[in-house]
Amino acid sequence: MTLRQPDSAAPLAQARRIVVKVGSALLVDGESGRINRAWLETLIDDLLRLRHRGQRVILVSSGAIALGRRRLGLKPGALRLEESQAAAAVGQIRLAHAYKEILETHDVTVAQVLLTLEDSERRRRYLNARATLEALLDLGALPVINENDTVATAEIRYGDNDRLAARVAQMIGAECLVLLSDVNGLYSADPNKDRSAKIIREVRHITPEIEAMAGRPASQLGSGGMAAKIMAARIAVGAGCHLCIAAGSHRHPLRRIEEGAECTWFIPTATPAAARKQWIAGTLRPAGAVTIDGGALRALLEGASLLPAGVTGARGRFDRGDTVSVITSDGAEVARGLVAYSDADAARIIGRKSSEIAELLGFRGRDEMIHRDDLVLTQAAPAP
Ligand code: GLU
């Protein structure tokens, strides 16, 4: 996607896939501990408008702990881990219920997806989570994601939905991630303390100065703060995704961004597809290798996928989703890619037609050994 500049809201208007993250401080009224329903309806209106113009939308929603703690009679202030997990168990039902109620009035099906850190860091689980989100989007549902707070223990939790949202954006190849928050962007200094503090409209490099501006977490209800948003920006930008930090407390917060409200945009240098390919090419140690014949090499050079029929051998131990080298019969590496089969399954289907896979393996896997979206040529290979 080439984005027109300098229209600062262009990524939001043009992205094919958008992730929007909404923080607890916006969703839950600090006084009553209830959902800000009237405001939420305007956010959902905005999300549906994006969907109507053909954009695919995922919402990452905080608020479970903030909603549940009041219900359980937990006192204000910091919670112990098990208390916040208990609060999340109670609050998540209420949160999901609110989304279902509002979205059903628009005839939109809502899907609740609760993720843990491991779902984005472990390859197998990452692939499963990604496939589920893809299926939900294909089927027209609106995925609403939160961390699975009730089971995530201290060492294995994101703890903040900013980074979770960035991982989700990376997972689905989103071009735009909007973090709606109680602040309207990144400031050169703390605007509550320093009257000369200015909002930074655009960040192209996350330098130590930018990180220093983030300071320490401040918001009362959310756990992220600006530091977590900058970490999220690193993940997003590295994955080729634009990230916007914007005020969410007004009604129709996304429409406001498109109408030019002040906010901070982090701009990536690559598209999600290019960033993904760079990442594949940069794998330090591929888990294994597959050898291909001349016909397959020609096809790869023309931009096609690698089919099992063109593979003559495989070596190494690899799992579905691992990076493998693609080598010619004389051992030269010509490409790298994310393989769709484990080494054991690959051994059974190499040299065979894709239409035979289901019978050979007993399940219907992908037609390709390595799909072209997951494949990157690593050197200009000699013509076969
Ligand atoms: N997962 C937490 C919740 O739903 C929110 C984490 C955050 O504040 O970013 O309450």
Side-chain angles (χ1 to χ4, degrees), residues 245-317:
I245 301 174
S249 50
H250 307 266
R251 293 186 170 201
H252 294 289
L254 297 174
R255 195 169 76 195
R256 281 188 84 247
I257 299 174
E258 292 197 38
E259 287 169 356
E262 281 200 328
C263 57
T264 302
W265 278 101
F266 290 78
I267 315 283
T269 49
T271 62
R276 189 169 150 77
K277 294 207 170 191
Q278 272 166 21
W279 172 74
I280 295 171
T283 307
L284 287 183
R285 217 179 299 201
V290 292
T291 313
I292 58 169
D293 63 21
L297 177 56
R298 264 194 301 280
L300 294 197
L301 294 176
E302 282 167 13
S305 297
L306 177 62
L307 301 178
V311 178
T312 56
R315 64 155 200 261
R317 297 290 303 273

Side-chain angles (χ1 to χ4, degrees), residues 13 38 184 208 354:
N184 58 350
S354 299

